[in-house]
């Protein structure tokens, strides 16, 4: 049975129709009465016309086939090209697995051209969409790369041309990844450059603030975009801008260094003038902001406008004002500093330099032979030297003060021991007794204090390679004289005690021979023997000092030495260890055991 629509069924239906029409035509011809020759001629013409129609249809079908085949080939080539550009090797489609080498033929020839075209056209459209999307990605990446390359190069055409991306036919993901990697590296370089530019700009801003320079004008000299007034213009990050910022920073740092040193010198001069003229604190507060420059380093100075030309000019003007004021007050300043020098020397017991004495300084200034500034500088140097020397002498001076204090306690104890009413129950008697006991302990330490002071002084002299002078006299000589005087007094006291014992023995012998005792009135009376009174148990030994002074009963101390040198008027005190005369006859017996340690057997505090 024939299938409907098959070529055989169509041929059968065509033959049947043609035969029926031919029979009808022949019947008509018979009715008409056509001859056989005429009939053959018309049949030939009919056959010829049919062949021409078939031939035309065949040609049309062949042309249509060729066109379909050409379209299929073109589509196949475009698919292959797009697949190659996209880097796609195989595509799974309803027609089968297609590849770039033979996208259509691998399926086989079982499908007609129209079927193949129907399957391939959607694939081509899909590939075209993929290509368009890929092209957009490439265009976007290339645009960003070109833009960033221009920003980095400063829109240098030669550099941009060297960075222009070519090979537009390569749309593979590998190539896109390469462009994206390049773009990311440019983005990182841009970010790094932008951070560096911002750091440079911030540093320029800080330097301009310290120097009091217009920041906008300064950065605009490098590039206008560094101080943009709108957000449309991006910050220039080219090498030229970075180099310009670096050069500007170096220029500003050099200017800062010069201004800092200039301001430091001016402020130091101002501080010296302040100290020199004793400027009140409220007047100094006007320049308190810049006075810290002297103690700061260049990098620590960050206060706005502190190194501006206006600030330096203000300080310079103040220095000029003080210099003019100093010239009119120089004589007064010299006198004041000389008085300070003499006061320091008095406190340190050092002889001041006589070359700058008040009288000589006044005469030199009035005569105009010496510049007052030089004279003042000389006095200042002497003040500094005296301060340093006083610091090195401080320990010895402290020991001298303790020794003198002990000598004063000794003097008080002598006066106390000469008081006949010292044991009375009067007001303050108990306090004086305790004071006397403490004084005895202190007095007993005097010999060791003197010896230690001599050792310390000799050590100081060895270290400094000069003599330790106390108000112009060598301290060791004073101490040695003091020790010698003290030793002589102790020997005199010993002879006095021996004499007293002999007197006591003589009185005892007379009592045993004559059987009489001295009357209370006679024993309590005060007699003069060799110029001494008899109510003190400690005789001093008068010794004429080496300078030949008239005070024969004086024990020499640093204070008393100052009275034997006419050039020193600081110390006029003369200290006497004992000035009361002694009575060798009327001393009670119980006092015969008295010693130099000032311990009194009849004292209520004596154990």
């Amino acid at each position: 049975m024939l299938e409907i629509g098959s070529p055989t069924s169509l041929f059968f239906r065509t033959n049947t129709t043609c035969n029926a029409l031919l029979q009808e035509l022949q019947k008509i011809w018979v009715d008409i009465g056509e001859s056989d020759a005429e009939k053959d001629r018309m049949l030939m013409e009919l056959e010829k016309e049919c062949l021409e129609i078939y031939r035309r249809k065949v040609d049309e079908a062949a042309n249509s086939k060729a066109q379909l085949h050409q379209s299929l080939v073109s589509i196949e080539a475009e698919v292959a090209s797009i697949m190659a550009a996209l880097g796609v090797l195989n595509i799974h489609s309803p027609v089968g697995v297609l590849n770039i080498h033979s996208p259509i033929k691998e399926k086989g020839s079982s499908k007609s051209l129209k079927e193949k075209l129907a399957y391939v056209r959607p694939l081509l459209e899909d590939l075209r969409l993929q290509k368009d999307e890929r092209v957009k990605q490439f265009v976007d990446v290339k645009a960003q790369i070109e833009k960033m390359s221009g920003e980095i190069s400063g829109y240098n055409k030669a550099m941009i041309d060297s960075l222009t991306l070519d090979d537009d036919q390569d749309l593979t993901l590998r190539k896109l990844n390469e462009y994206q990697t390049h773009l990311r590296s440019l983005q990182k370089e841009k970010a790094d450059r932008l951070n560096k530019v911002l750091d440079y700009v911030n540093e320029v801003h800080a330097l301009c603030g310290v120097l009091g320079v217009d920041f906008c004008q300064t950065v605009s000299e490098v590039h206008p975009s560094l101080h943009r007034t709108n957000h449309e213009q991006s910050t220039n990050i080219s090498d030229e801008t970075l180099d310009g910022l670096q050069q500007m920073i170096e220029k500003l740092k050099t200017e800062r260094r010069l201004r800092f040193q200039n301001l430091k010198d001016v402020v130091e001069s101002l501080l010296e003038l302040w100290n020199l003229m004793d400027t009140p604190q409220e007047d100094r507060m006007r320049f308190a902001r810049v006075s810290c420059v002297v103690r700061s380093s260049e990098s620590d100075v960050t206060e706005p406008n502190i190194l501006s030309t206006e600030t330096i000019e203000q300080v310079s003007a103040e220095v000029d004002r003080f210099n003019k004021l100093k010239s009119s007050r120089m004589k007064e300043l010299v006198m004041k500093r000389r008085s300070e020098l003499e006061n320091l020397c008095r406190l340190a017991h050092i002889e001041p330099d006589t070359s700058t004495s008040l009288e000589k300084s006044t005469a030199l200034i009035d005569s105009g032979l010496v510049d007052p500034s030089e004279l003042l500088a000389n006095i200042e140097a002497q003040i500094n030297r005296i301060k340093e020397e006083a610091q090195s002498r401080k320990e010895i001076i402290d020991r001298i003060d303790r020794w003198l204090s002990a000598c004063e306690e000794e003097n008080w104890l002598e006066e106390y021991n000469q008081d006949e009413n010292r044991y009375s129950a009067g007001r303050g008697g108990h306090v004086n007794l305790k004071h006397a006991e403490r004084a005895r302990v202190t007095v007993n330490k005097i010999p060791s204090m003197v010896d230690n002071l001599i050792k310390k002084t000799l050590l100081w002299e060895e270290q400094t390679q000069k003599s330790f002078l106390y108000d112009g006299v060598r301290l060791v000589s004073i101490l040695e004289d003091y020790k010698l005087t003290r030793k002589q007094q102790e020997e005199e006291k010993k002879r006095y005690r021996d004499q007293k014992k002999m007197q006591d023995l003589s009185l005892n012998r007379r009592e045993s021979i004559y059987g009489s005792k001295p009357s209370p009135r006679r024993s309590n009376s005060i007699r003069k023997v060799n110029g001494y009174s008899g109510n003190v148990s400690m005789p001093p030994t008068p010794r004429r000092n080496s300078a030949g002074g008239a005070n024969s009963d004086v024990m020499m101390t640093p204070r008393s030495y100052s009275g034997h040198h006419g050039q020193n008027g600081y110390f006029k005190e003369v200290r006497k260890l004992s000035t009361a005369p002694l009575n060798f006859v009327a001393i009670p017996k119980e006092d015969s055991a008295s010693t130099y340690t000032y311990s009194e057997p009849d004292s209520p505090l004596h154990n």
Side-chain angles (χ1 to χ4, degrees):
M1 188 175 180
L2 297 176
E3 296 180 358
I4 299 175
S6 64
T8 305
S9 174
L10 180 62
F11 179 74
F12 179 77
R13 289 197 305 272
T14 301
N15 287 340
T16 303
T17 304
C18 288
N19 289 333
L21 291 174
L22 183 59
Q23 290 176 3
E24 186 177 357
L25 180 60
Q26 287 178 355
K27 183 179 178 181
I28 294 172
W29 283 344
V30 171
D31 293 339
I32 294 174
E34 293 288 345
S35 63
D36 291 337
E38 189 65 22
K39 291 179 181 179
D40 291 338
R41 184 186 65 76
M42 288 190 292
L43 286 174
M44 287 295 292
E45 291 178 357
L46 180 62
E47 183 179 0
K48 185 177 179 180
E49 291 178 358
C50 287
L51 287 175
E52 289 178 358
I53 292 173
Y54 273 111
R55 188 174 291 109
R56 186 173 67 252
K57 292 298 180 182
V58 170
D59 291 341
E60 291 178 356
N63 290 335
S64 177
K65 178 182 177 182
Q67 290 178 359
L68 290 175
H69 184 72
Q70 183 62 35
S71 298
L72 185 61
V73 171
S74 299
I75 292 174
E76 185 181 87
E78 187 176 357
V79 169
S81 175
I82 295 175
M83 291 176 65
L86 295 178
V88 179
L89 298 178
N90 297 307
I91 296 178
H92 294 275
S93 68
V95 251
V97 179
L98 306 181
N99 58 57
I100 61 173
H101 302 292
S102 180
I104 306 299
K105 293 179 181 179
E106 286 189 0
K107 181 63 182 176
S109 58
S110 59
K111 295 291 183 180
S112 65
L113 292 176
K114 288 186 176 181
E115 289 177 339
K116 291 180 179 180
L117 286 172
Y119 284 117
V120 172
R121 280 196 178 102
L123 176 62
L124 178 60
E125 294 298 327
D126 183 59
L127 288 174
R128 285 176 177 172
L129 292 175
Q130 292 185 29
K131 180 180 179 181
D132 292 342
E133 184 65 27
R134 188 71 57 82
V135 168
K136 288 181 181 179
Q137 293 178 353
F138 272 87
V139 170
D140 181 58
V141 172
K142 287 181 180 181
Q144 294 185 57
I145 289 176
E146 290 179 359
K147 179 182 178 183
M148 291 188 182
S149 299
E151 292 176 354
I152 292 173
S153 63
Y155 296 97
N156 188 329
K157 187 176 184 304
M159 184 172 291
I160 294 177
D161 293 341
S162 66
L163 294 173
T164 300
L165 303 173
D166 51 7
D167 195 9
D168 292 337
Q169 299 300 321
D170 191 355
L171 301 176
T172 61
L173 289 175
R174 179 185 59 81
K175 192 68 174 179
L176 181 61
N177 289 333
E178 290 180 1
Y179 286 170
Q180 289 175 342
T181 301
H182 183 53
L183 176 60
R184 284 192 294 270
S185 66
L186 291 176
Q187 288 173 339
K188 183 177 182 303
E189 183 177 357
K190 177 182 178 181
D192 293 341
R193 284 172 173 262
L194 186 59
N195 289 332
K196 187 177 293 186
V197 167
L198 292 177
D199 291 340
Y200 285 162
V201 169
N202 290 334
E203 189 169 358
V204 171
H205 185 271
L207 290 171
C208 289
V210 173
L211 296 173
V213 180
D214 187 0
F215 167 72
C216 301
Q217 181 180 355
T218 303
V219 294
S220 296
E221 293 178 5
V222 180
H223 197 277
S225 65
L226 297 178
H227 184 71
R228 58 182 184 270
T229 56
N230 52 31
H231 297 284
E232 296 178 358
Q233 185 180 11
S234 60
T235 302
N236 189 280
I237 57 174
S238 63
D239 291 336
E240 183 180 358
T241 300
L242 290 173
D243 293 340
L245 285 173
Q246 286 180 335
Q247 293 174 4
M248 182 59 69
I249 289 173
E250 290 300 322
K251 178 181 176 182
L252 293 174
K253 284 184 176 180
T254 302
E255 183 67 19
R256 182 183 68 175
R257 189 178 307 111
L258 295 175
R259 291 191 185 184
F260 174 79
Q261 189 60 44
N262 188 9
L263 180 62
K264 186 175 181 180
D265 294 340
V266 175
V267 170
E268 286 178 349
S269 301
L270 182 61
L271 293 177
E272 291 178 359
L273 291 170
W274 279 349
N275 296 331
L276 186 64
M277 305 184 69
D278 292 332
T279 305
Q281 192 64 30
E282 53 269 16
D283 293 343
R284 302 188 184 193
M285 291 303 296
R286 292 177 50 235
F287 296 92
R289 186 171 66 94
V290 297
S291 60
C292 62
V293 172
V294 177
R295 302 183 300 273
S296 304
S297 61
E298 179 186 344
S299 58
D300 294 335
V301 179
T302 58
E303 187 175 348
N305 296 322
I306 194 170
L307 296 180
S308 64
T309 55
E310 293 80 4
T311 301
I312 297 176
E313 289 173 357
Q314 290 175 3
V315 180
S316 300
E318 186 71 5
V319 171
D320 294 339
R321 187 177 72 85
F322 269 96
N323 280 328
K324 295 178 181 178
L325 188 61
K326 184 186 74 171
S327 300
S328 61
R329 295 182 56 191
M330 186 55 67
K331 183 176 180 180
E332 178 184 349
L333 291 173
V334 170
M335 300 299 103
K336 182 177 181 181
R337 284 293 186 264
R338 175 62 190 186
S339 298
E340 292 181 7
L341 174 62
E342 293 179 354
N343 186 51
L344 287 174
C345 291
R346 180 180 61 81
L347 295 177
H349 299 279
I350 301 174
E351 288 292 304
D353 187 1
T354 58
S355 64
T356 57
S357 63
L358 291 176
E359 296 79 8
K360 290 184 178 180
S361 298
T362 303
L364 289 173
I365 293 175
D366 294 340
S367 64
L369 298 176
V370 176
D371 185 2
S373 299
E374 295 180 2
L375 184 59
L376 186 62
N378 186 13
I379 295 176
E380 290 288 349
Q382 293 180 25
I383 289 175
N384 294 331
R385 180 179 58 81
I386 292 299
K387 287 181 178 179
E388 293 177 0
E389 186 173 350
Q391 186 63 30
S392 67
R393 294 162 55 101
K394 185 176 184 303
E395 182 181 0
I396 296 178
I397 294 296
D398 291 341
R399 289 176 177 268
I400 293 174
D401 291 340
R402 290 195 293 269
W403 168 48
L404 294 178
S405 177
C407 291
E408 291 174 357
E409 286 290 298
E410 184 180 23
N411 189 37
W412 178 89
L413 188 60
E414 291 175 3
E415 296 175 357
Y416 174 77
N417 288 335
Q418 294 174 8
D419 186 5
E420 296 180 353
N421 300 322
R422 61 183 180 278
Y423 299 133
S424 64
R427 184 177 182 182
H430 185 68
V431 175
N432 289 334
L433 287 175
K434 289 186 176 181
H435 186 183
E437 283 299 316
R438 289 194 300 270
R440 292 186 187 96
V441 174
T442 302
V443 169
N444 290 334
K445 295 179 181 178
I446 289 179
S448 62
M449 292 171 65
V450 173
D451 292 337
N452 291 334
L453 186 54
I454 292 175
K455 292 179 181 178
K456 284 289 182 181
T457 306
L458 292 176
L459 179 61
W460 185 91
E461 292 179 344
E462 180 180 356
Q463 292 175 347
T464 58
Q465 297 297 315
K466 61 181 180 179
S467 299
F468 189 100
L469 301 181
Y470 190 92
D471 294 333
V473 183
R474 188 169 181 242
L475 179 61
V476 175
S477 300
I478 297 175
L479 296 173
E480 293 293 345
D481 288 348
Y482 177 83
K483 288 178 63 177
L484 180 60
T485 302
R486 196 175 190 89
K487 182 178 179 182
Q488 292 177 351
Q489 284 191 347
E490 290 177 357
E491 292 175 354
E492 184 65 26
K493 292 172 189 174
K494 185 176 182 299
R495 287 195 298 269
Y496 162 72
R497 288 194 296 270
D498 292 342
Q499 283 183 344
K500 188 172 181 299
K501 288 181 180 180
M502 294 299 296
Q503 291 175 2
D504 292 341
L505 290 175
S506 176
L507 289 175
N508 291 334
R509 281 199 299 270
R510 282 190 292 176
E511 289 177 3
S512 61
I513 295 173
Y514 300 105
S516 63
K517 294 183 179 180
S519 64
R521 183 173 194 162
R522 181 178 179 85
S523 62
N524 290 330
S525 63
I526 297 177
R527 298 176 58 192
K528 298 286 184 176
V529 178
N530 295 329
Y532 293 98
S533 67
N535 59 349
V536 177
S537 60
M538 268 183 43
T541 300
R543 187 179 72 87
R544 190 172 300 274
N545 60 69
S546 58
N551 296 328
S552 60
D553 58 345
V554 174
M555 177 177 289
M556 302 305 295
T557 67
R559 293 179 179 175
S560 60
Y561 262 83
S562 62
H564 294 275
H565 297 272
Q567 73 277 12
N568 191 318
Y570 296 130
F571 303 103
K572 302 296 183 180
E573 299 180 29
V574 177
R575 186 186 157 278
K576 300 179 180 181
L577 286 181
S578 176
T579 58
L582 299 179
N583 189 334
F584 290 95
V585 178
I587 300 300
K589 294 182 178 180
E590 57 269 16
D591 288 342
S592 62
S594 175
T595 63
Y596 181 63
T597 61
Y598 292 106
S599 61
E600 299 180 79
D602 55 347
S603 171
L605 297 178
H606 181 70
N607 292 330

